[in-house]
Amino acid sequence: MKLRCYACEREETSREHAPPQCIFPTAKDARGSNYRQNLITVPACDEHNLRKSKDDEYLMMVLVANFGNNQVANAQMSSKVIRAWLRRPHLATMAVKNPAPARLNGEETMTFQVDLPRFNRAMELIARAVTFHQYQFKWPDKCVVWSPSMLPSKAETAAAVMDTSKQLLEAIPHIFRDKPLLGSNPEIFQFRTHLPEKSDGLGLVQLLFYEGFNVCVMFGTTLPSEADA
């Protein structure tokens, strides 16, 4: 019997990694460590797996560029990503839009503008996939993606976004209570999910990449969302 895709009602044509396999570095790019073991996979249609490979690559480049990541992400950035940019220079232009110098915690770094619809679409699919993996459950609602690892880009909405971020950060420990972060490769990816007790309640999925890039996907609510990384 054919299974149904984790994100829609089409029949399964392949297995999708959640998150995409490119997020997990090979031994070549992780100084000998193998992070491609025990990965989560879910049934998927072509649209929600094979046809989004470019979106997966873009997501990986955005994630590893985050200032607060661990050394595994830094190694991925300096090896795999730089190799790809040298081989295909247009990828760097596509991934790093409107770069600007910045200082964070006393260190020189830079900011760049994220293609937010593309980023949010990728995160929504990961959240749907890990929820399906854990509970065989498909979220019926639309979702909102929010990341405290990204900064607001529009001055007119910055205060509202930062205030909402602060409130949500304070609420996360209470929402998840004693639920630990899950994941077989914690240096690369961890997650936890909260299913609402009531049909009209708030559902929440927390995604943590490279121990530094934090993303929350909320189902059943709306929030302002404009960001840089």
Side-chain angles (χ1 to χ4, degrees):
M1 182 181 69
K2 283 280 188 179
L3 298 176
R4 299 288 178 179
C5 174
Y6 71 97
C8 69
E9 292 306 312
R10 297 185 184 94
E11 288 188 347
E12 171 192 23
T13 57
S14 61
R15 302 288 296 186
E16 162 70 333
H17 289 90
Q21 185 172 255
C22 65
I23 302 297
F24 299 85
T26 62
K28 175 182 178 181
D29 296 319
R31 300 170 183 169
S33 298
N34 182 6
Y35 291 105
R36 294 194 172 184
Q37 301 183 85
N38 303 316
L39 304 185
I40 294 171
T41 64
V42 290
C45 65
D46 287 347
E47 179 180 346
H48 293 116
N49 185 5
L50 304 179
R51 293 177 188 166
K52 65 181 188 68
S53 59
K54 291 183 179 179
D55 287 343
D56 294 346
E57 185 176 34
Y58 173 75
L59 178 66
M60 182 272 291
M61 290 187 290
V62 170
L63 290 175
V64 299
N66 181 54
F67 180 85
N69 286 345
N70 59 23
Q71 290 302 312
V72 181
N74 296 339
Q76 177 99 317
M77 181 71 193
S78 61
S79 55
K80 182 177 181 177
V81 173
I82 296 301
R83 283 200 313 270
W85 287 357
L86 291 173
R87 188 169 61 251
R88 294 177 289 169
H90 72 280
L91 286 179
T93 304
M94 178 268 293
V96 182
K97 291 186 179 294
N98 301 324
R103 290 185 67 84
L104 186 61
N105 298 334
E107 295 185 41
E108 297 289 339
T109 183
M110 78 169 184
T111 63
F112 61 93
Q113 189 173 359
V114 173
D115 183 342
L116 206 57
R118 194 177 193 182
F119 177 87
N120 289 350
R121 195 164 55 240
M123 288 298 170
E124 176 182 349
L125 289 176
I126 295 171
R128 292 185 181 279
V130 297
T131 305
F132 184 85
H133 165 75
Q134 191 172 10
Y135 301 109
Q136 299 296 299
F137 174 77
K138 293 185 183 182
W139 289 104
D141 305 312
K142 293 182 179 180
C143 77
V144 171
V145 176
W146 158 71
S147 173
S149 299
M150 298 198 290
L151 301 174
S153 60
K154 291 185 178 180
E156 60 271 23
T157 60
V161 173
M162 295 302 289
D163 183 60
T164 300
S165 291
K166 180 181 178 182
Q167 293 178 42
L168 288 168
L169 278 172
E170 292 173 351
I172 283 175
H174 303 287
I175 293 173
F176 288 109
R177 296 184 182 88
D178 298 326
K179 287 186 177 180
L181 286 161
L182 305 175
S184 298
N185 297 279
E187 289 180 274
I188 311 302
F189 174 67
Q190 294 176 281
F191 73 97
R192 52 186 173 180
T193 58
H194 168 72
L195 298 182
E197 295 178 2
K198 299 179 180 179
S199 60
D200 58 350
L202 172 69
L204 185 65
V205 181
Q206 182 183 10
L207 309 171
L208 181 63
F209 301 88
Y210 306 113
E211 299 181 300
F213 202 119
N214 199 358
V215 179
C216 289
V217 182
M218 291 156 281
F219 293 83
T221 189
T222 56
L223 296 168
S225 183
E226 288 290 340
D228 285 341

